[in-house]
Amino acid sequence: MQKIYYTYTDEAPMLATHSFLPIVKAFAKTSGIEIVVKDISLAGRIIAAFNNLLPESQRVTDALQELSALAKQPGANIIKLPNISASVPQLKAAIAELREQGVMLPEYPDEPQTEAEADIRARYDSVKGSAVNPVLREGNSDRRAPQAVKEYAQKHPHSMGEWSAQSQTSVATMSAGDFFHNEKSVTFANANTLTIKHTAKDGTETVLKTGLEVVPGEILDATFMSVSALDDFLQENITRAQDARVLFSVHLKATMMKVSDPIIFGHVVRAYFRETFEKYGAELAAAGLNGENGYGALLDGLAELQNGAEIKAAFTTEAEKRCALAMVNSDRGITNLHVPSDVIVDASMPAMIRGGGKMWNAQGSEQDTLAVIPDSSYAGIYSTVIADCKQHGAYDPRTIGSVPNVGLMAKKAEEYGSHDKTFRMPSCGVVEVINKRGEVVLAHKVSRGDIWRACQTKDASVRDWVKLAVARARATSTPAIFWLDENRAHDAEIIKKVREYLAEHNTDGLDIQILDPASATQVSVTRMRQGKDTISVTGNVLRDYNTDLFPIIELGTSAKMLSVVPLLAGGGLYETGAGGSAPKHVAQLTAENHLRWDSLGEFMALAESLRYAGADVLAGALERATARFLNENKSPSRKTGELDNRGSHFWLARFWAEELAAQRECEKTAAHFAPIAAELVAQTEAIMRELIAPQGNPAQLGGYYRVNKQLTDDVMRPSITFNKIVASV
């Protein structure tokens, strides 16, 4: 029996799974396919990290490690839903919830004092940030909008804010001292074992990492951000925002860049509240309140301080005379600086661009914004789009072309910030990367507090990436641009490989270029306005940014993209869209029992997975059903009392059954589904009543990070009539 491995994750995607997975299992079983569920939720991963310290009754399968091994085997077939990339506040909240539920987990040690506490911290840190994707992505990414989705967006365009040539919105980024300007890169001809060492000015040596293996052809980068340059940059732009009377917002990736960006976020908070930290910094530092977990955590922590009310008043007073902050939630007073995981650059910048360059202010009105993106590596792509919108106005979803992506990510390629090679410098000195002969490969002079980081990119990953890019350009007759800057150390090494490996392929008649990211952006948006498609071939971080930026402009959301990862060993990983809006959806469900999460990405990924499993009849019928789903507008509504995620699953199941009953490829399958389709049609009115009836009342899930599965099943499967029909399949 063929197996499809289906991931159980977090928040809105997890809730949707409770509704959709029974349908998937029932339909797949008719073609002899078993759906195997693997729990890679944040809660599941936390518990797995402590299996050997927990009572046997509380242990769980380490599903992520099982899937990691599977992804390296030929024939793997994995459907991966969005999961939480946990910031420290999210991680602590999940730990607290699990402890309340009786799981005997230790507290998170902010400052480990013993070996045991260091071990606990290391286990928790292994779960933090983007801990899932690098493990499963044993291949490069092919991400695009399916034709049916693109056509729907053109026929039913989403709203776009108006742009004005007089808009004061702009991007601020560092011109020196950041990761881009300090980067060094080297390609290894032979295998080697490296050590990363910090030597202080007084000669004290600290080994930061040993046993770092590199293979022939592998690229190693090292860079650092000067925090003194960062602090100067932040003060300059806080003043700039105040003088221009625009909102101040910072856009980071404190989830995937789980080491570097929370540190940067702390610098932003301290820069904004400079006077308060100058006066009370020692007390705040002693209480562990350094701003890295956000302004919200600072305010919460003040309750434990004797003079907490006095310090809170100082924060409030300083905020009133500083530049206005962009708001995450104006009604609740949640600012851009409250929680580091609330404003993630790849989602927040496209949303601002789609909204006419405006963000919300404290009064609940839209206002022009200074978007602060400290590292300049990719800030230029957003500056270019903003300048294009000021000149030409908003993009028109009815007519614009598409910018699909081929992304380099196999074998943890370019995983800046998601690994154990990022460090905060303990003192002034030198950081060196040393090979096994004792030779210095790369070195940087650093100061106390600077953020130093390294990453690796394997030759096999680059070679496969180039192959995939050529294949997509050939298959679609679409120009492809490698977004690489020859003035950046890492990109210069990648460009050498791209040119070498392009020569291995027949590129006759293909339009393939290499351009720096800002230039590539300009070419892409110019062609997009002309209704033309352009493939963006990018590294890992840009893959993350582009697969939100362009889909949000083109489709209104990145959740409707098809994401296929052809695994290097054979097989496929099928991803179902982005989950950045998932927390808001959960909040609405618990308050009103209405889930507006759209599972369209899941429908498309499932069709690809079924086809790979050899179930062509099921896959083809699902694709036709998905097209009907779009054309008949059965996506979830935002409004309570109307069609939601559960209702959309019913319509997909009905259309799927009807398409299977009508197809002529397999008479046995058609005969099997004919009465099921007829019953779904006959019971549509009754089923919709049962699905909508519970809406408007609070929903009980028994948890946020680890729900009670029976309660959640009851919430997400409220139609007895529909459940009986699904069971009969």
Side-chain angles (χ1 to χ4, degrees):
M1 177 177 279
Q2 287 276 355
K3 292 183 179 180
I4 293 175
Y5 292 84
Y6 219 95
T7 58
Y8 182 88
T9 58
D10 304 287
E11 297 177 324
M14 171 273 297
L15 296 173
T17 293
H18 280 265
S19 169
F20 188 52
L21 194 57
I23 299 168
V24 176
K25 286 182 173 181
F27 278 66
K29 193 172 182 180
T30 65
S31 290
I33 296 172
E34 179 186 1
I35 306 296
V36 181
V37 180
K38 293 292 182 180
D39 183 351
I40 59 169
S41 65
L42 176 59
R45 289 183 282 123
I46 289 172
I47 296 171
F50 289 89
N51 267 340
N52 67 325
L53 301 182
L54 292 173
E56 191 168 346
S57 61
Q58 295 186 347
R59 297 174 189 174
V60 299
T61 301
D62 192 339
L64 183 58
Q65 289 308 310
E66 290 182 351
L67 289 177
S68 173
L70 178 67
K72 298 179 180 70
Q73 301 298 317
N77 191 337
I78 304 168
I79 293 179
K80 193 266 173 188
L81 279 70
N83 62 278
I84 291 175
S85 293
S87 63
V88 171
Q90 288 173 306
L91 185 60
K92 288 183 174 180
I95 294 166
E97 178 176 294
L98 289 167
R99 284 168 58 89
E100 288 174 5
Q101 292 176 356
V103 182
M104 298 174 67
L105 292 167
E107 295 275 14
Y108 180 88
D110 286 301
E111 297 180 7
Q113 302 297 318
T114 65
E115 285 189 15
E117 288 182 346
D119 174 64
I120 291 167
R121 173 67 178 265
R123 292 179 191 232
Y124 280 132
D125 284 352
S126 72
V127 177
K128 189 172 65 177
S130 185
V132 171
N133 292 339
V135 172
L136 296 185
R137 288 171 170 167
E138 285 290 328
N140 293 308
S141 169
D142 172 12
R143 196 166 165 86
R144 58 191 186 273
Q147 190 61 32
V149 174
K150 184 67 175 176
E151 289 174 356
Y152 178 81
Q154 291 170 330
K155 293 177 183 175
H156 307 276
H158 50 274
S159 61
M160 298 287 282
E162 292 186 7
W163 274 91
S164 164
Q166 286 71 48
S167 170
Q168 296 301 302
T169 290
S170 62
V171 172
T173 193
M174 296 173 71
S175 58
D178 61 345
F179 294 124
F180 176 89
H181 291 92
N182 290 326
E183 188 173 68
K184 297 179 180 181
S185 187
V186 63
T187 299
F188 289 85
N190 303 302
N192 215 312
T193 304
L194 310 174
T195 299
I196 303 173
K197 182 179 69 174
H198 174 267
T199 304
K201 278 189 173 181
D202 64 4
T204 302
E205 295 186 352
T206 304
V207 174
L208 302 175
K209 187 172 182 64
T210 59
L212 179 58
E213 302 287 342
V214 292
V215 298
E218 185 161 359
I219 298 170
L220 179 79
D221 309 317
T223 187
F224 74 97
M225 177 173 282
S226 162
V227 294
S228 64
L230 172 64
D231 290 340
D232 290 344
F233 163 78
L234 292 171
Q235 288 300 333
E236 175 189 335
N237 282 285
I238 289 169
T239 301
R240 176 182 167 188
Q242 190 156 10
D243 291 345
R245 298 182 181 276
V246 296
L247 300 177
F248 177 93
S249 64
V250 65
H251 302 263
L252 295 166
K253 186 79 171 177
T255 50
M256 186 173 85
M257 308 298 193
K258 64 183 181 182
V259 180
S260 60
D261 284 24
I263 297 173
I264 297 171
F265 194 83
H267 277 270
V268 180
V269 174
R270 294 193 296 274
Y272 187 82
F273 294 105
R274 180 180 60 184
E275 295 175 6
T276 303
F277 272 94
E278 285 176 352
K279 184 173 182 180
Y280 299 103
E283 295 164 76
L284 291 168
L289 301 176
N290 60 8
E292 290 180 13
N293 292 331
Y295 181 42
L298 278 176
L299 296 178
D300 291 342
L302 292 177
E304 305 296 322
L305 299 185
Q306 187 173 0
N307 60 340
E310 176 187 334
I311 299 175
K312 183 176 181 180
F315 276 124
T316 302
T317 300
E318 187 167 9
E320 289 173 351
K321 65 182 183 181
R322 287 288 200 177
C323 58
L325 291 173
M327 305 297 289
V328 171
N329 188 317
S330 302
D331 293 337
R332 296 173 55 206
I334 306 299
T335 73
N336 175 269
L337 299 185
H338 261 69
V339 183
S341 56
D342 266 356
V343 185
I344 303 302
V345 59
D346 48 328
S348 58
M349 285 301 298
M352 183 185 77
I353 291 166
R354 179 187 161 185
K358 299 179 184 296
M359 296 184 73
W360 297 102
N361 61 26
Q363 292 73 43
S365 300
E366 292 181 310
Q367 188 174 338
D368 288 345
T369 304
L370 179 64
V372 174
I373 305 174
D375 181 43
S376 62
S377 296
Y378 303 119
I381 69 171
Y382 300 115
S383 296
T384 301
V385 174
I386 288 171
D388 185 76
C389 289
K390 287 181 182 180
Q391 182 177 359
H392 300 291
Y395 301 101
D396 186 346
R398 297 170 297 178
T399 59
I400 57 175
S402 189
V403 185
N405 180 262
V406 174
L408 172 63
M409 63 181 193
K411 296 185 177 295
K412 303 183 181 181
E414 299 185 354
E415 277 292 333
Y416 270 133
S418 296
H419 45 59
D420 55 354
K421 295 186 287 294
T422 302
F423 308 96
R424 191 191 330 235
M425 293 297 97
S427 63
C428 294
V430 178
V431 179
E432 297 171 320
V433 179
I434 304 167
N435 66 20
K436 60 185 177 183
R437 291 185 178 181
E439 300 164 333
V440 176
V441 178
L442 297 169
H444 289 103
K445 290 183 179 179
V446 294
S447 298
R448 178 181 174 83
D450 287 351
I451 308 161
W452 187 95
R453 68 187 191 187
C455 82
Q456 298 164 262
T457 306
K458 290 180 170 49
D459 182 71
S461 303
V462 179
R463 185 177 231 138
D464 181 79
W465 176 56
V466 173
K467 176 184 174 183
L468 182 58
V470 173
R472 291 304 304 161
R474 177 73 65 190
T476 59
S477 300
T478 302
I481 301 175
F482 285 84
W483 293 38
L484 297 167
D485 186 349
E486 61 184 5
N487 296 312
R488 179 180 175 183
H490 166 78
D491 285 10
E493 295 299 303
I494 292 282
I495 287 171
K496 295 175 189 175
K497 291 182 180 289
V498 168
R499 288 177 173 152
E500 177 185 353
Y501 297 142
L502 279 174
E504 298 178 349
H505 303 280
N506 175 15
T507 58
D508 291 347
L510 299 181
D511 182 357
I512 297 178
Q513 302 180 63
I514 300 174
L515 296 173
D516 67 86
S519 299
T521 304
Q522 187 60 66
V523 171
S524 299
V525 297
T526 299
R527 287 176 53 83
M528 190 169 71
R529 286 189 185 275
Q530 297 167 351
K532 298 175 181 178
D533 299 346
T534 314
I535 300 171
S536 67
V537 189
T538 69
N540 200 0
V541 177
L542 258 182
R543 172 202 58 79
D544 221 28
Y545 292 4
N546 279 12
T547 56
D548 272 314
L549 173 60
F550 293 107
I552 287 173
I553 291 172
E554 296 169 28
L555 312 174
T557 174
S558 57
K560 296 181 179 181
M561 296 289 281
L562 173 62
S563 181
V564 178
V565 181
L567 299 172
L568 297 182
L573 174 70
Y574 306 96
E575 299 187 271
T576 69
S581 59
K584 295 179 181 178
H585 295 182
V586 179
Q588 185 178 8
L589 177 87
T590 54
E592 304 170 4
N593 205 338
H594 179 93
L595 184 65
R596 68 177 188 262
W597 175 259
D598 192 340
S599 297
L600 181 64
E602 203 165 344
F603 304 161
M604 297 183 297
L606 176 60
E608 292 288 327
S609 174
L610 288 169
R611 180 162 281 112
Y612 182 75
D616 289 343
V617 172
L618 270 184
L622 178 54
E623 287 172 338
R624 294 190 296 275
T626 301
R628 285 185 62 188
F629 175 90
L630 285 168
N631 290 331
E632 298 190 27
N633 197 23
K634 299 303 182 184
S635 296
S637 165
R638 291 174 172 267
K639 296 181 180 179
T640 298
E642 297 181 358
L643 185 75
D644 79 343
N645 177 263
R646 296 163 288 194
S648 72
H649 291 164
F650 159 72
W651 282 107
L652 190 280
R654 175 181 150 173
F655 293 155
W656 195 3
E658 288 182 284
E659 292 296 333
L660 285 165
Q663 56 79 31
R664 298 180 179 180
E665 299 166 76
C666 178
E667 291 183 4
K668 183 179 178 181
T669 299
H672 178 78
F673 276 95
I676 295 165
E679 184 70 5
L680 288 168
V681 171
Q683 297 294 338
T684 293
E685 190 175 332
I687 291 169
M688 291 309 301
R689 279 200 306 269
E690 292 172 356
L691 289 173
I692 291 176
Q695 293 191 37
N697 301 305
Q700 300 298 322
L701 303 174
Y704 185 92
Y705 296 96
R706 189 174 73 160
V707 299
N708 178 296
K709 290 189 176 180
Q710 185 57 59
L711 282 177
T712 307
D713 275 344
D714 292 343
V715 169
M716 294 305 302
R717 303 190 70 203
S719 172
I720 295 173
T721 305
F722 184 39
N723 295 346
K724 286 181 178 178
I725 297 173
V726 171
S728 75
V729 173

